[in-house]
Amino acid sequence: MKNINPNDTKSWKVLKNHFSEIKNIHIKELFCNDSNRFKKLSVIFNNNILIDYSKNRITDFTINTLLMLADEMNLKNSIESMFFGSLMNKTENRFVLHTALRNFSNTPIFCNSKNIMLDVLSVLDKIKHFSSLVINKKWTGYTGKYITDIVNIGIGGSDLGPKMVINALHSYRNHLKIHFVSNVDGSNILRVLEKINPESTLFLVVSKTFTTQETLINANTAKKWMFSMFNNSKFLDQHFIAVTTDSNEATKFGINIKNVFLFWDWVGGRFSLWSSVGLSIALSIGFDNFKNLLEGAYCMDKHYLSTEFNKNIPVLLALISIWYNNFFQSETEAVLAYDYNMKYLSPFLQQMTMESNGKSVSRDLKFINWQTSPIIWGEPGTNGQHAFYQLLHQGTKLIPCDFIAAITPQHVLKNHHEHLLSHFFSQTRALAFGKSHDDFSISLKDFDVCNQKVLSVEPYKICRGNQPSNSILLHKLDPYNLGVLIALYEHKVFTQGVIFNIFSFDQWGVELGKSLAKDIFISMKDFDEINKYDSSTCGLINFYKYFDKLNI
Ligand code: F6P
């Protein structure tokens, strides 16, 4: 990948000037000026997913200049480098090949001169075999009972992806109940343990490194809980599975090597649901559906790799997001899924986006003076409408939104679904267009609260509109389309990282908190008051110690 600072490019300068021209133009005007706008600024992917990006504060010139930026930043070359095995994660000295996990092309993918497809296919086979044994009640627990509950113990990428997918595909689930334990807060595991029967529960300990403190503490608590039921350690072979890149650590924990599902250091945690990290997905919805999810992602991979940028969905969405993030200086982006089953989409995309692109040093080792990752947040509709949409409609901030929904619901309550979608469509319209044209004739000049000369409350009712959004409307939220959607966001994030000129695949910032927590844990155990940190941190720890010593 070339090191080019985006603000040194010609197109960046053009975009800066263009921003001052466009910032006062209303989306309403853009639609009035072009009756073809929707047709021009929307794409139908694979005949069943509509991506409408017409309700954005963009013109043909904006798009063309953003596309020029992508070219100047050598995006095409970076995409190919990632897919075909260049060393993209330079600060960790790792390849970035999660796309190989869903490569159905029969072409080999080389990493350090080794064809990794053989390993990928062999682990996929192992997932297929194992999930079929458990689902078909041929895998039994220590006392001979078949498995009814699966507990996925993992955090970050070892939790969020599978949790999001399993919830999103609610109607595809089989009889197995899947639970997630991620937080080191004991309430998390205790609430799960009280729901399950040790004789029929399978624990999946999912950790790329098998060293993550939270995961190991939770896994040890689960192991002790099982031990207290069975009074010996023989249960481990039937009840504990490891998903990791480090089989040694897993076996040291006590997990049988046969129960280890490997993946590799070229799979980033937040891009790992396609690997054996997705074991809980295969268990929950069956291997064929898991494979469909991978196939959907592969379909988006092909699109990303081979489609001209002016029709390339991840590229277009990434560029539009950069337009707001770096020129309008909007700070955040809302992900608004009108689908209750997608309640974990926003936390999942938070990790994918913010852990990847929350960086401030460029690929050529300079502190950056342009914005990098937007803050991602959101709630499923319609709940959000009764919480934070007021700010979207009448607040002072520019918040680009992604609206996502499926036309065919996963349930039978058509009436509910029609109402839900009517909210989706109305909100994108209300945000873009605001109140009707007539209402805009009311001037704030007529309105003087301080002098009590209140002529009307109308100004309080004005919604300015001009809040941009993308709409992603899927025919169905099935495994295949979900795969397409997730890969779309993965590639959007990658595209942005290339243009920000940062390394998207490390997360050194997270390490600082991890190492400090180890040291502070030791200080908490020390009987005496401590003074080795700043006064606030010492004050917090010493206040804790005071009550801890009193044992109340
Ligand atoms: O949050 C930091 C991180 O390293 C993530 O990138 C990763 O998904 C998570 O911790 C869990 O790591 P592991 O799978 O190694 O336990």
Side-chain angles (χ1 to χ4, degrees):
M1 284 205 285
K2 280 196 182 161
N3 288 314
I4 307 165
N5 287 332
N7 59 3
D8 290 339
T9 59
K10 198 173 146 222
S11 39
W12 194 271
K13 287 168 198 130
V14 177
L15 284 165
K16 258 182 144 175
N17 290 332
H18 177 53
F19 167 70
S20 51
E21 289 157 17
I22 216 170
K23 65 177 191 237
N24 295 321
I25 297 180
H26 201 284
I27 292 176
K28 244 182 340 183
E29 263 178 81
L30 299 172
F31 273 87
C32 279
N33 295 342
D34 184 357
S35 55
N36 243 349
R37 187 171 171 86
F38 167 71
K39 218 166 165 200
K40 231 166 53 188
L41 301 181
S42 63
V43 189
I44 296 178
F45 183 78
N46 230 11
N47 291 323
N48 80 137
I49 304 177
L50 169 68
I51 295 103
D52 172 16
Y53 56 99
S54 60
K55 290 192 184 97
N56 276 297
R57 295 169 71 168
I58 53 173
T59 62
D60 290 350
F61 185 79
T62 327
I63 287 285
N64 290 337
T65 320
L66 286 165
L67 290 168
M68 249 171 68
L69 174 67
D71 286 341
E72 279 190 87
M73 294 303 297
N74 222 10
L75 177 63
K76 183 88 188 138
N77 183 270
S78 297
I79 296 174
E80 286 167 1
S81 301
M82 176 175 72
F83 275 83
F84 301 121
S86 295
L87 194 75
M88 304 298 278
N89 182 354
K90 292 222 165 98
T91 63
E92 292 182 324
N93 201 29
R94 285 178 187 161
F95 295 84
V96 175
L97 281 166
H98 50 276
T99 48
L101 300 165
R102 60 230 190 181
N103 165 30
F104 291 98
S105 71
N106 285 330
T107 47
I109 306 276
F110 291 97
C111 177
N112 270 334
S113 315
K114 183 185 170 195
N115 178 11
I116 54 173
M117 287 316 297
L118 303 174
D119 289 342
V120 169
L121 295 175
S122 125
V123 172
L124 263 184
D125 238 31
K126 188 166 169 169
I127 296 174
K128 181 178 179 179
H129 178 68
F130 179 74
S131 56
S132 137
L133 284 182
V134 178
I135 294 167
N136 295 313
K137 303 180 181 173
K138 291 189 178 131
W139 179 284
T140 50
Y142 180 55
T143 58
K145 292 215 161 107
Y146 63 80
I147 301 299
T148 55
D149 291 76
I150 311 282
V151 181
N152 188 95
I153 301 180
I155 196 163
S158 300
D159 165 71
L160 288 163
K163 185 158 71 189
M164 186 275 284
V165 169
I166 290 169
N167 277 279
L169 299 175
H170 185 84
S171 65
Y172 292 81
R173 296 201 282 193
N174 53 34
H175 63 283
L176 293 169
K177 290 192 211 80
I178 317 282
H179 312 268
F180 288 89
V181 174
S182 52
N183 202 316
V184 74
D185 183 334
S187 301
N188 192 173
I189 191 155
L190 286 173
R191 279 185 202 170
V192 171
L193 294 183
E194 69 193 23
K195 282 191 224 154
I196 55 176
N197 175 355
E199 290 177 280
S200 58
T201 297
L202 198 59
F203 289 92
L204 314 181
V205 185
V206 185
S207 175
K208 180 174 167 178
T209 52
F210 226 84
T211 56
T212 301
Q213 191 216 43
E214 292 95 323
T215 300
L216 291 184
I217 291 175
N218 279 321
N220 272 306
T221 300
K223 189 162 80 168
K224 275 191 210 141
W225 182 76
M226 292 291 275
F227 188 83
S228 71
M229 306 286 169
F230 297 118
N231 241 337
N232 67 57
S233 292
K234 290 192 191 140
F235 67 85
L236 274 162
D237 286 3
Q238 271 112 323
H239 293 272
F240 272 75
I241 305 291
V243 174
T244 186
T245 59
D246 193 338
S247 53
N248 282 338
E249 286 297 323
T251 50
K252 267 195 246 159
F253 178 88
I255 294 176
N256 190 322
I257 189 73
K258 288 190 199 143
N259 289 352
V260 176
F261 287 74
L262 278 178
F263 65 113
W264 309 274
D265 72 356
W266 43 261
V267 183
R270 48 197 176 272
F271 302 92
S272 63
L273 71 89
W274 322 101
S275 70
S276 49
V277 171
L279 182 61
S280 56
I281 304 175
L283 285 163
S284 177
I285 61 174
F287 182 79
D288 289 346
N289 283 322
F290 179 59
K291 198 167 162 225
N292 281 342
L293 179 84
L294 267 52
E295 279 167 347
Y298 174 57
C299 177
M300 179 48 80
D301 290 346
K302 285 188 292 183
H303 168 85
Y304 184 52
L305 194 54
S306 60
T307 309
E308 291 294 315
F309 287 168
N310 63 356
K311 300 233 157 41
N312 193 311
I313 300 161
V315 173
L316 289 168
L317 295 191
L319 291 172
I320 292 170
S321 161
I322 285 178
W323 176 230
Y324 298 121
N325 185 62
N326 295 83
F327 297 91
F328 284 78
Q329 305 299 333
S330 62
E331 295 275 305
T332 79
E333 272 172 33
V335 180
L336 309 168
Y338 277 64
D339 192 321
Y340 180 72
N341 295 328
M342 297 192 87
K343 60 182 173 209
Y344 294 113
L345 182 66
S346 155
F348 169 71
L349 293 179
Q350 270 173 350
Q351 189 203 12
M352 184 201 286
T353 312
M354 293 161 75
E355 199 165 82
S356 298
N357 288 341
K359 311 284 166 63
S360 50
V361 177
S362 66
R363 291 198 296 267
D364 54 354
L365 275 173
K366 296 200 178 81
F367 282 106
I368 276 172
N369 62 359
W370 55 90
Q371 287 293 324
T372 57
S373 176
I375 299 160
I376 304 295
W377 61 284
E379 269 293 309
T382 58
N383 290 14
Q385 288 174 209
H386 297 272
F388 54 81
Y389 276 46
Q390 164 62 31
L391 184 149
L392 301 184
H393 289 294
Q394 290 193 308
T396 51
K397 294 178 169 52
L398 177 77
I399 302 180
C401 303
D402 279 1
F403 283 81
I404 304 166
I407 294 169
T408 310
Q410 290 185 49
H411 58 73
V412 292
L413 300 177
K414 193 168 192 304
N415 171 43
H416 282 247
H417 198 61
E418 286 167 349
H419 279 290
L420 178 71
L421 290 186
S422 72
H423 282 286
F424 172 123
F425 302 143
S426 317
Q427 289 296 331
T428 69
R429 174 163 167 75
L431 286 169
F433 293 88
K435 272 205 156 185
S436 76
H437 192 262
D438 291 346
D439 290 330
F440 276 85
S441 58
I442 297 160
S443 159
L444 283 170
K445 273 187 266 152
D446 300 334
F447 188 74
D448 186 348
V449 179
C450 298
N451 295 326
Q452 307 273 307
K453 280 190 253 155
V454 179
L455 300 178
S456 152
V457 293
E458 285 305 313
Y460 289 113
K461 295 182 180 173
I462 288 176
C463 294
R464 286 185 314 277
N466 220 9
Q467 285 279 26
S469 66
N470 298 305
S471 295
I472 302 178
L473 203 48
L474 314 154
H475 168 219
K476 263 169 96 173
L477 186 62
D478 57 17
Y480 192 93
N481 281 345
L482 183 60
V484 169
L485 185 72
I486 300 169
L488 188 172
Y489 276 102
E490 284 182 351
H491 298 323
K492 174 185 171 188
V493 168
F494 175 72
T495 302
Q496 294 190 317
V498 172
I499 292 177
F500 295 146
N501 195 24
I502 54 175
F503 289 116
S504 295
F505 296 101
D506 58 22
Q507 57 286 314
W508 293 105
V510 186
E511 302 304 320
L512 171 64
K514 282 190 194 169
S515 58
L516 251 181
K518 275 188 198 149
D519 193 45
I520 286 186
F521 183 76
I522 296 167
S523 301
M524 285 163 62
K525 294 279 179 193
D526 188 341
F527 188 80
D528 299 323
E529 279 209 351
I530 51 142
N531 56 14
K532 63 189 268 200
Y533 308 110
D534 61 277
S535 58
S536 162
T537 309
C538 289
L540 291 168
I541 298 171
N542 291 331
F543 188 68
Y544 159 81
K545 283 186 183 200
Y546 172 76
F547 282 104
D548 192 47
K549 275 183 210 158
L550 293 179
N551 208 10
I552 48 174

